[in-house]
Amino acid sequence: MQSKEITFFRAFFIISAVWNLIGAIFGYFNTAYTFHGFFNRDLADPLFYGIYQGAWGTTLVYFIGYAIVAYNPLRHTGIVVVGGIGKVGFAISLLKFYLSGLAGSVVFIVIIGDVIFFLLFLYYFMRLYQTKESIL
C-alpha cells in the first residue's frame, strides 16, 4: 500500500475514533438523556441503566481501538474486524428497534453512520487484500 493511501486510512481511523468518542460522550456520560433521545422513554430501572451504559462503554473502548489502528493501519486489522462486526450488529439492532416502534427516527443518525463506516472498513480490507498486505 502506498504512503498516500496509508495516510488516507490513518485519517479515516481518526475520524472513526472521533465518531465513537462522540457516541460514548452522549451514551456513557449522559446515559439517561441518550436513552430518552433514542427510545422516547425514561431510563428508570437501574439494571437497564447499567446495561445500556455498559453498551456505550464498549463504544468508548472502540474510540481507543480506532485510535490505535490510526497509528498503524497495516498492523491492527483485528480491531477493525471486531469493530466492523460491532457496527453491523448495532445498526441492525437499532433498525429492528425502530421497525418495531421502540426507537425514534434519531437512531438513523447512528444507523447510517455505522453502515458508512462498515462499508469503508470493507474497502480497507479490499485494499489490504489487493496490495497483498497481511489481513490478520
Side-chain angles (χ1 to χ4, degrees):
M1 203 176 288
Q2 296 176 356
S3 170
K4 188 176 181 180
E5 201 165 23
I6 291 171
T7 301
F8 166 78
F9 284 119
R10 282 189 172 139
F12 167 63
F13 285 112
I14 289 170
I15 293 167
S16 299
V18 169
W19 171 261
N20 281 267
L21 179 61
I22 291 168
I25 286 170
F26 283 106
Y28 189 80
F29 296 108
N30 201 353
T31 307
Y33 175 81
T34 303
F35 186 86
H36 192 273
F38 276 19
F39 302 107
N40 300 317
R41 62 188 73 196
D42 291 334
L43 183 57
D45 186 309
L47 177 61
F48 290 159
Y49 186 97
I51 292 168
Y52 189 72
Q53 186 178 46
W56 283 107
T58 302
T59 303
L60 184 59
V61 170
Y62 275 98
F63 154 71
I64 297 166
Y66 295 135
I68 291 169
V69 175
Y71 179 74
N72 186 346
L74 299 180
R75 182 172 178 206
H76 302 290
T77 56
I79 293 170
V80 183
V81 168
V82 176
I85 293 167
K87 291 211 171 293
V88 168
F90 194 54
I92 289 170
S93 292
L94 287 177
L95 183 60
K96 286 178 7 185
F97 287 141
Y98 176 78
L99 293 175
S100 67
L102 294 172
S105 59
V106 73
V107 298
F108 279 101
I109 295 168
V110 177
I111 292 169
I112 292 167
D114 277 359
V115 167
I116 290 169
F117 279 105
F118 175 73
L119 292 173
L120 288 167
F121 289 178
L122 287 178
Y123 173 70
Y124 162 75
F125 283 112
M126 182 185 76
R127 289 302 300 141
L128 289 174
Y129 179 77
Q130 289 172 341
T131 58
K132 303 197 184 326
E133 299 288 343
S134 176
I135 291 179
L136 291 177

